[in-house]
Amino acid sequence: MARLLLRNIHTLVTMVDGEEPLHGVDLLAVDGKVGEIGRDLRPAPGDDLRVLDGSWRVVYPGFVNTHHHLYQTLTRNIPRVHSVKLFDWLVNLYEVWRELTPEAVEISTKVGIGELLLSGCTTTSDHLYLVPTGMERELHDVEIDTALAMGVRFHPSRGSMSRGRSCGGLPPDDVVQTPDEIMRDSERLIAKYHDPAPFAMCRIVLAPCSPFSVTTDLLEETARLARSKGVFLHTHLAETLDEETFCHEAHGLRPLAYMEKAGWVGPDVWFAHGVWFNDDEIRWLAETGTGVAHCPGSNLRLGSGIARVPRLLRAGVRVGLGVDGSASNDSSNFVREMQVALLVHRVGTGVEAMPPRDVLAMATVGGASLLGRPEIGRLRPGGAADMAVFRLDRIDYAGAMRDPASAILFCGAGPRADATIVAGQVLVENGRLVGHDEEAIFHKANETAEAMLRRAEEKLGVSYG
Ligand SMILES: [Zn+2]
């Protein structure tokens, strides 16, 4: 039996409905689950008991990231795409991403998961949709094995692209696959990794990339396979007006209507972005229980627009937060994403549009709901012992203690977690990753990124800056 006691927690944000933050309590985790929350808990001493100091710390349910592309951590801050919109950004970066190798996937996963853990994220999805020719049977396995070894709760996607340039799509032909190849590999990954049990560490998601990079057949077949296996569906949707134009020209439909025709609505579906949903579509999302991953940093970075999240929430649509690919955001810091979500809707919608409680809800219970995980996102006995712990006794929060639960949202800049705990395991301690050398990860990632960029530059005869 492994036990973890957080003693004398300054502020415990449980996210249990109707419950205010608790002060001066202890939390005891037993075998990866929350056992007890209360004052002056006195568990029997023993070698299996670990104690962490909760004084001057705020503890949240571990944050849930609902949209990411870990491999993109290798292509951040590239001058050539500093200031271009999504389609140009993609067309330029496909040329670098086609150089992706298993080693590149491994190191980029370490970077992205490391950043997420360091910002209090304990569960993340990922969307790896680009499979260069020759890499078919390796990339997803390497990504999943690496992430699970780091201890995060993981919802990796078997992403896919099947509409290359020769068929009117955006990506080059050598990074797309046939629907047959994609379906076979999806089944293989589900059989190998998917765990439907509560408290699972790994659940597979099926995720064709976007309406402009896959064929309608693939969307339909993917939905059929997902439902026959009980796995969730995810893709990008309504991210830009260019996408809307593409769907009109290619299919005569708006993006959501096109997806609905292919069977892509329901409580087992969540879309990344949803910037351009209209009122009727928002009602339809609510009625069908279809979810949205809000990625404000990416939407601002690429100038895509501001998703109407206050409206989505009022309509009853389930919404989570996503850092999106680190190349569009150019960060995987989850708290920074929460800070952006807090601020961006106050311009345009109004200053009351996004209270801190709504941001915390999207980051925890909202994300948990999108992924179909009622056991995470709240701290209560019997739930998962997944926690994000932040120090409050820092200069960033001096004078901000009237509402300690909101301090990390309003003050400071994307702070590091003091501790991040997944299933009772301490993966970040004193603001550092446990068992991983950040400098070594930095240098390996830099070398790998540089090699990919150089190969792309040599082939194309252009500079990425
Ligand atoms: Zn994305």
Side-chain angles (χ1 to χ4, degrees):
M1 194 164 64
R3 296 177 298 159
L4 178 72
L5 178 68
L6 274 78
R7 182 170 277 158
N8 191 26
I9 299 166
H10 182 282
T11 300
L12 177 69
V13 182
T14 64
M15 296 311 293
V16 172
D17 291 347
E19 196 166 288
E20 291 297 313
L22 307 171
H23 300 285
V25 295
D26 300 343
L27 184 151
L28 178 67
V30 180
D31 284 343
K33 297 177 190 170
V34 176
E36 206 178 340
I37 296 171
R39 288 187 191 281
D40 297 320
L41 301 183
R42 299 198 187 282
D47 290 345
D48 64 327
L49 179 66
R50 181 159 179 202
V51 181
L52 294 182
D53 181 14
S55 57
W56 288 113
R57 276 134 176 114
V58 56
V59 179
Y60 304 92
F63 303 135
V64 182
N65 181 45
T66 57
H67 185 63
H68 206 356
H69 313 283
L70 292 165
Y71 75 91
Q72 293 181 5
T73 54
L74 296 174
T75 49
R76 331 195 243 204
N77 186 31
I78 291 178
R80 187 176 176 84
V81 293
H82 268 170
S83 303
V84 299
K85 291 200 296 176
L86 177 68
F87 280 17
D88 286 336
W89 180 88
L90 283 170
V91 165
N92 276 289
L93 289 183
Y94 285 141
E95 302 297 336
V96 186
W97 297 336
R98 68 205 294 185
E99 306 299 331
L100 207 59
T101 60
E103 294 73 29
V105 166
E106 181 181 353
I107 189 64
S108 58
T109 301
K110 285 186 180 170
V111 172
I113 298 290
E115 266 195 296
L116 287 168
L117 289 172
L118 285 165
S119 54
C121 180
T122 55
T123 298
T124 186
S125 60
D126 190 61
H127 191 179
L128 174 51
Y129 56 79
L130 184 133
V131 182
T133 304
M135 300 289 163
E136 292 81 0
R137 287 186 68 88
E138 288 182 87
L139 297 191
H140 291 91
D141 303 60
V142 169
E143 182 200 31
I144 297 167
D145 292 342
T146 305
L148 293 179
M150 292 181 81
V152 75
R153 232 181 264 281
F154 200 33
H155 285 234
S157 298
R158 204 312 174 178
S160 54
M161 297 198 290
S162 61
R163 185 194 280 264
R165 248 166 238 165
S166 61
C167 301
L170 210 58
D173 284 350
D174 63 357
V175 296
V176 308
Q177 296 178 281
T178 66
D180 273 358
E181 287 172 318
I182 294 163
M183 287 302 113
R184 268 201 309 277
D185 200 48
S186 299
E187 286 201 56
R188 180 184 72 80
L189 287 166
I190 292 168
K192 184 171 175 186
Y193 290 106
H194 184 71
D195 179 0
F199 303 96
M201 294 307 293
C202 186
R203 288 212 186 141
I204 297 288
V205 175
L206 299 185
C209 184
S210 63
F212 51 83
S213 57
V214 306
T215 51
T216 310
D217 293 1
L218 180 69
L219 288 171
E220 290 168 350
E221 282 184 44
T222 302
R224 272 197 294 275
L225 177 64
R227 283 171 180 138
S228 75
K229 301 283 182 185
V231 308
F232 277 31
L233 290 162
H234 179 53
T235 193
H236 298 93
L237 202 73
E239 179 174 359
T240 64
L241 288 174
D242 288 340
E243 176 199 319
E244 205 172 288
T245 305
F246 178 94
C247 283
H248 260 299
E249 285 173 2
H251 310 292
L253 292 167
R254 287 178 56 78
L256 182 61
Y258 171 60
M259 295 306 286
E260 200 234 324
K261 208 169 152 210
W264 273 68
V265 289
D268 55 351
V269 179
W270 87 100
F271 297 125
H273 302 297
V275 173
W276 295 101
F277 289 135
N278 64 28
D279 288 353
D280 288 343
E281 290 167 338
I282 288 174
R283 270 194 296 276
W284 184 233
L285 292 167
E287 274 175 33
T288 56
T290 310
V292 174
H294 176 37
C295 310
S298 165
N299 299 154
L300 291 171
R301 161 72 170 81
L302 293 172
S304 303
I306 300 175
R308 300 165 69 205
V309 173
R311 178 86 184 216
L312 288 165
L313 292 174
R314 272 206 312 280
V317 178
R318 297 178 303 128
V319 184
L321 282 180
V323 299
D324 199 3
S326 299
S328 59
N329 188 343
D330 303 39
S331 163
S332 312
N333 184 305
F334 196 85
V335 182
R336 181 175 178 265
E337 204 64 31
M338 293 162 75
Q339 293 180 331
V340 175
L342 176 81
L343 296 179
V344 70
H345 303 288
R346 292 164 181 242
V347 177
T349 309
V351 71
E352 75 290 348
M354 187 55 70
R357 183 85 188 175
D358 285 1
V359 177
L360 288 173
M362 288 191 288
T364 55
V365 288
S369 169
L370 295 195
L371 301 183
R373 303 299 298 262
E375 67 274 36
I376 63 171
R378 292 182 181 86
L379 289 173
R380 54 185 170 184
D386 293 2
M387 288 170 267
V389 182
F390 293 83
R391 283 193 83 121
L392 291 168
D393 53 348
R394 299 169 32 159
I395 204 157
D396 313 52
Y397 309 125
M401 288 301 101
R402 275 299 174 96
D403 181 7
S406 302
I408 67 162
L409 300 181
F410 280 97
C411 312
R416 279 190 172 212
D418 178 51
T420 302
I421 297 156
V422 181
Q425 301 294 313
V426 181
L427 304 183
V428 169
E429 190 171 13
N430 298 322
R432 307 286 297 179
L433 289 169
V434 175
H436 295 276
D437 179 344
E438 278 182 53
E439 276 181 39
I441 292 175
F442 168 85
H443 288 296
K444 175 73 180 163
N446 256 6
E447 279 167 27
T448 310
E450 189 54 37
M452 285 170 65
L453 273 170
R454 270 204 307 270
R455 282 199 296 273
E457 287 178 326
E458 278 163 20
K459 279 187 193 167
L460 298 175
V462 300
S463 167
Y464 276 74

